[in-house]
Amino acid sequence: MKLLKGLALTAVLLALCGTANADKKLLIDGSSTMLPIAQALAEKYMDKTPGITISVKGGGSGIGVASLQDSTCDIADSSRPIKGSEIAIALTKGVDPKATVVALDGIAIIVNKANGITNLTKKQVRGIFNGSISNWSQVGGTPGKILAISRDTSSGTYEAFIALALEGDKIRPDAMLQAASQAVATTVANTPGAIGYVGIGYISDTTKVLTVNGAECKKENVLNNSYPYSRPLFMYTNGKPQGDAKVFIDYVLSAEGQAVVEEQGFVALKKKQ
Amino acid sequence: MKISEKIYKNVFMVVAFSSLIFLTGIVLVLFIEGLPAFSVTGILSFIFGKSWYPTSTPPEFGIMPLISASFVVSVGAMLFAIPVGIGSALYIHEIAGEKQKMFLKPIIELLGAIPSIIFGFFGMVIVAPLVQKVFNLSTGQCAFTGALILGVMAIPVVCSIAEDALSVVPKSFREASFALGANRWQTLLKVIIPAAGSGISTAIVLGISRVMGETMTVLLVTGGAAQIPNSIFSPVRPMTSTIAAEMGEAAVGGVHFHALFAIGLVLFMITLVLNMIAEYIGRKYRVKLGLDV
């Protein structure tokens, strides 16, 4: 009888624990660029912390911000700073978006190894990708047609590159759009006249990385902002992070979280002073 | 009627009509998800618009570059597949001996059984670099390479349907021609081919619709540039590969998402018309030969 009572009590307690834990849910929505980081971090965090479910979606930075405005997510990933108009809409709905920078990203300009060019100015990169420069001789190289290789127009890297390098111009219509960053790197590696761009994580020795305005695309230069195509990656919350969101973001900023950021090919933040 | 017979009849009727259910479902979804795109861009500016920038601000949804890409690649493929496909059908049917026939037919059918991703991979790794070298181009990933590979893929379709058409020509036609003193070549050219003409046309039309709908191969070998091609060697982005490449990253329910369904709708309409043409020609041909309609 005693045993039975004990068992029943344990069962009730377990059930209570179960419901209490199942209630812990964290919804993350937003940037597709940050999706690999957010997913890897969520998985590691869920392994460490039983009883919490983190669901990660990646529809794009704009969608993340929209769902933060509607309070349908707890954390909005964004690969760009939130716009003034978006803050205004959020405030009318009683949401006050606050940013936490969780990682940095650099976009490398890569060319074929046979290409003699080692440096381009920001202006030249813009000209090459908006279509006003079409021959390598126009930027001081050996004459030959420039072949621009780009990511698909829906990718986060594409959006970031367009925002950072094209300053409002549209990409040239004859740019060859590839479905993956690895495909961009492979095509550039196989095509003598090609130029493309990839996230810092996709740099390899099969292609040549150009310096832009003399700055090399490497982690230090991304960190001190001397490389022009670098950007912070944000997590937005309603007000300063609190509760589960705060615990998760603290984990992201911890040494362990930042190691995951590096693993995914992005640049970890400087250690806290 | 016995009960068991009734059951068999009904089971098979359900099976036969299931295709209709699937088709209706797919068409309905295409319309429901595709039509909202036209309320944003307008159907004419969607179809005849010259720039496809689905994620710019403001976005532009003009699919003329995609339609023209599909068109150029398909026409190029057929220029290759028609002579080779029909030539092989004629050879197999008229000239080849039994032994050659037993060998050739399965080989050509086997070509049709190779998955398209393998053709695409082969095209990207082997054919595109070769095309680049031979024609001295800046890239081998272009409409021409796509047309070449799709042409090879369409050969089995064209060949086997054309061969069927040739074999349905009644023996009496040939015998009559020989009796009038025509030789084998004259009989083939003046009697057999005209008699099988509509069947051969069906083969061609079905070949085109096979090529139009091909996705994986063109995604890998045509270069993916959304421009109206100014030569057969331009990198292009056909409709199918646009859908395949962008659907994964388009926000569900957004304009871009609906626009991709609308491309699917346009593609479906094109293949529907092609299949109707094939059906029409095929019917005319059966009537001409005095066969049952």
Side-chain angles (χ1 to χ4, degrees), chain B residues 38 42-51 61-65 67 228:
Chain B
F38 298 136
I43 188 157
L44 287 181
S45 60
F46 182 75
I47 291 176
F48 295 105
K50 289 194 183 69
S51 28
F61 298 101
I63 63 166
M64 209 54 214
I67 295 180
I228 295 177

Short mmCIF file of all heavy atoms in Angstrom, two decimals, chain B residues 38 42-51 61-65 67 228:
data_model
loop_
_atom_site.label_atom_id
_atom_site.label_comp_id
_atom_site.label_asym_id
_atom_site.label_seq_id
_atom_site.Cartn_x
_atom_site.Cartn_y
_atom_site.Cartn_z
N PHE B 38 -1.23 37.76 -59.76
CA PHE B 38 -1.69 38.65 -60.81
C PHE B 38 -2.38 39.89 -60.25
O PHE B 38 -2.43 40.92 -60.90
CB PHE B 38 -2.63 37.91 -61.77
CG PHE B 38 -1.98 36.76 -62.46
CD1 PHE B 38 -2.61 35.55 -62.58
CD2 PHE B 38 -0.69 36.90 -62.99
CE1 PHE B 38 -1.99 34.49 -63.22
CE2 PHE B 38 -0.07 35.85 -63.62
CZ PHE B 38 -0.73 34.63 -63.73
N GLY B 42 -0.47 42.27 -62.22
CA GLY B 42 -1.22 42.35 -63.48
C GLY B 42 -0.70 41.27 -64.41
O GLY B 42 0.51 41.06 -64.54
N ILE B 43 -1.61 40.56 -65.07
CA ILE B 43 -1.22 39.36 -65.81
C ILE B 43 -0.31 39.70 -66.99
O ILE B 43 0.65 39.00 -67.29
CB ILE B 43 -2.47 38.56 -66.25
CG1 ILE B 43 -2.07 37.22 -66.86
CG2 ILE B 43 -3.33 39.33 -67.24
CD1 ILE B 43 -3.17 36.19 -66.80
N LEU B 44 -0.57 40.84 -67.66
CA LEU B 44 0.24 41.19 -68.83
C LEU B 44 1.65 41.58 -68.44
O LEU B 44 2.62 41.15 -69.05
CB LEU B 44 -0.44 42.32 -69.62
CG LEU B 44 -1.68 41.89 -70.40
CD1 LEU B 44 -2.26 43.07 -71.17
CD2 LEU B 44 -1.37 40.74 -71.36
N SER B 45 1.77 42.40 -67.38
CA SER B 45 3.12 42.81 -66.98
C SER B 45 3.86 41.64 -66.34
O SER B 45 5.08 41.62 -66.31
CB SER B 45 3.08 44.00 -66.02
OG SER B 45 2.35 43.67 -64.87
N PHE B 46 3.11 40.64 -65.86
CA PHE B 46 3.76 39.44 -65.35
C PHE B 46 4.37 38.64 -66.49
O PHE B 46 5.54 38.27 -66.47
CB PHE B 46 2.73 38.59 -64.59
CG PHE B 46 3.30 37.35 -63.96
CD1 PHE B 46 4.07 37.42 -62.80
CD2 PHE B 46 3.07 36.10 -64.52
CE1 PHE B 46 4.60 36.28 -62.22
CE2 PHE B 46 3.60 34.95 -63.94
CZ PHE B 46 4.36 35.05 -62.79
N ILE B 47 3.57 38.42 -67.54
CA ILE B 47 4.04 37.56 -68.63
C ILE B 47 5.02 38.29 -69.55
O ILE B 47 6.01 37.72 -69.98
CB ILE B 47 2.84 37.01 -69.42
CG1 ILE B 47 2.08 36.01 -68.54
CG2 ILE B 47 3.28 36.32 -70.71
CD1 ILE B 47 0.83 35.46 -69.13
N PHE B 48 4.78 39.59 -69.80
CA PHE B 48 5.63 40.28 -70.77
C PHE B 48 6.70 41.15 -70.12
O PHE B 48 7.52 41.74 -70.80
CB PHE B 48 4.76 41.11 -71.73
CG PHE B 48 3.88 40.24 -72.59
CD1 PHE B 48 2.52 40.16 -72.34
CD2 PHE B 48 4.42 39.49 -73.62
CE1 PHE B 48 1.71 39.34 -73.12
CE2 PHE B 48 3.62 38.66 -74.40
CZ PHE B 48 2.26 38.59 -74.14
N GLY B 49 6.69 41.23 -68.77
CA GLY B 49 7.71 42.03 -68.08
C GLY B 49 9.10 41.49 -68.36
O GLY B 49 9.29 40.28 -68.45
N LYS B 50 10.07 42.40 -68.47
CA LYS B 50 11.41 41.98 -68.89
C LYS B 50 12.37 41.80 -67.73
O LYS B 50 13.51 41.39 -67.93
CB LYS B 50 11.98 43.00 -69.88
CG LYS B 50 11.29 42.94 -71.23
CD LYS B 50 12.10 43.69 -72.28
CE LYS B 50 11.39 43.73 -73.62
NZ LYS B 50 10.18 44.58 -73.60
N SER B 51 11.98 42.16 -66.50
CA SER B 51 12.93 41.91 -65.42
C SER B 51 12.33 41.11 -64.27
O SER B 51 11.21 41.37 -63.83
CB SER B 51 13.56 43.20 -64.89
OG SER B 51 12.71 44.28 -65.07
N PHE B 61 8.29 41.42 -61.06
CA PHE B 61 7.93 40.06 -61.43
C PHE B 61 7.59 39.99 -62.91
O PHE B 61 6.44 39.90 -63.29
CB PHE B 61 6.72 39.58 -60.61
CG PHE B 61 6.98 39.52 -59.13
CD1 PHE B 61 6.51 40.54 -58.30
CD2 PHE B 61 7.68 38.48 -58.57
CE1 PHE B 61 6.74 40.49 -56.94
CE2 PHE B 61 7.91 38.43 -57.21
CZ PHE B 61 7.44 39.43 -56.39
N GLY B 62 8.61 40.09 -63.77
CA GLY B 62 8.37 39.92 -65.21
C GLY B 62 9.01 38.63 -65.65
O GLY B 62 10.21 38.43 -65.46
N ILE B 63 8.23 37.70 -66.22
CA ILE B 63 8.81 36.38 -66.48
C ILE B 63 9.20 36.17 -67.94
O ILE B 63 9.51 35.06 -68.34
CB ILE B 63 7.88 35.24 -66.01
CG1 ILE B 63 6.56 35.24 -66.77
CG2 ILE B 63 7.64 35.31 -64.51
CD1 ILE B 63 5.77 33.95 -66.57
N MET B 64 9.20 37.27 -68.75
CA MET B 64 9.62 37.10 -70.15
C MET B 64 11.02 36.48 -70.26
O MET B 64 11.23 35.59 -71.10
CB MET B 64 9.57 38.44 -70.88
CG MET B 64 9.29 38.32 -72.37
SD MET B 64 7.80 37.37 -72.63
CE MET B 64 8.13 36.52 -74.09
N PRO B 65 12.00 36.89 -69.43
CA PRO B 65 13.32 36.25 -69.53
C PRO B 65 13.23 34.74 -69.29
O PRO B 65 13.92 33.96 -69.94
CB PRO B 65 14.14 36.90 -68.42
CG PRO B 65 13.44 38.18 -68.12
CD PRO B 65 12.00 37.95 -68.41
N ILE B 67 10.46 32.77 -69.69
CA ILE B 67 9.74 32.11 -70.79
C ILE B 67 10.66 31.98 -71.99
O ILE B 67 10.76 30.91 -72.61
CB ILE B 67 8.47 32.90 -71.17
CG1 ILE B 67 7.47 32.90 -70.00
CG2 ILE B 67 7.82 32.30 -72.41
CD1 ILE B 67 6.19 33.66 -70.28
N ILE B 228 16.90 37.99 -71.01
CA ILE B 228 16.41 37.50 -72.30
C ILE B 228 17.65 37.19 -73.13
O ILE B 228 18.50 38.06 -73.33
CB ILE B 228 15.52 38.56 -72.98
CG1 ILE B 228 14.26 38.76 -72.13
CG2 ILE B 228 15.17 38.13 -74.40
CD1 ILE B 228 13.33 39.82 -72.63
#
